[in-house]
């Protein structure tokens, strides 16, 4: 991953750079698969969704050549929320690659109860 990459959050139809997450830290979490991204769920629940806990969560991890995206669906009391964590220089391109990637080898599915 290039040093100019950022961690972007996509939530509520809005992109923003997240200052609390380091791109290398997120990539290290992704390297550990589903178990590695568990701390991200808690981070998102508290810092993005403003909740204290979650009921369950699913995640779809995409790893491209020089980018990564984790698409979370987090169920909290009162419903489900979608949040995407994107490590990229250009999150719009990564989002496009996520939805158009023909290779299932680029994806990992996770479920947390």
């Amino acid at each position: 991953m290039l040093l100019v990459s950022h961690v972007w959050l996509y939530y509520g139809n809005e992109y923003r750079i997240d200052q609390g997450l380091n791109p290398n830290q997120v990539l290290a979490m992704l390297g550990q698969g589903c178990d590695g991204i568990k701390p991200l769920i808690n981070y998102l629940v508290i810092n993005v969704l403003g909740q204290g806990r979650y009921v369950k969560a699913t995640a779809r991890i995409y790893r491209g050549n020089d980018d990564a995206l984790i698409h979370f669906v987090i169920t909290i009391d009162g419903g489900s929320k979608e949040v995407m964590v994107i490590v990229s220089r250009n999150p719009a391109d990564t989002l496009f690659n996520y939805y158009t990637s023909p290779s299932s080898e680029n994806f990992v599915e996770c479920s947390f109860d």
Side-chain angles (χ1 to χ4, degrees):
M1 187 61 54
L2 300 173
L3 293 176
V4 294
S5 293
H6 297 285
V7 177
W8 298 82
L9 294 180
Y10 183 71
Y11 174 67
N13 295 322
E14 191 171 292
Y15 287 110
R16 68 175 167 93
I17 293 176
D18 187 278
Q19 301 296 332
L21 294 170
N22 176 298
N24 294 326
Q25 174 188 23
V26 174
L27 292 175
M29 290 175 176
L30 290 174
Q32 298 174 27
C34 293
D35 288 335
I37 64 167
K38 282 183 184 179
L40 277 178
I41 298 169
N42 291 328
Y43 179 86
L44 296 173
V45 167
I46 293 167
N47 295 301
V48 176
L49 303 178
Q51 300 291 313
R53 65 179 193 87
Y54 68 96
V55 177
K56 70 177 191 171
T58 60
R60 186 171 194 225
I61 301 170
Y62 163 78
R63 295 285 308 253
N65 291 330
D66 62 351
D67 55 359
L69 184 149
I70 311 154
H71 183 178
F72 288 100
V73 177
I74 303 171
T75 303
I76 56 174
D77 291 333
S80 294
K81 305 289 183 182
E82 289 187 62
V83 181
M84 291 187 189
V85 176
I86 304 167
V87 179
S88 177
R89 289 179 294 141
N90 185 338
D93 284 349
T94 302
L95 193 60
F96 177 80
N97 293 340
Y98 171 75
Y99 282 112
T100 62
S101 177
S103 176
S104 62
E105 294 177 6
N106 292 350
F107 295 96
V108 174
E109 304 279 341
C110 307
S111 182
F112 307 95
D113 292 322

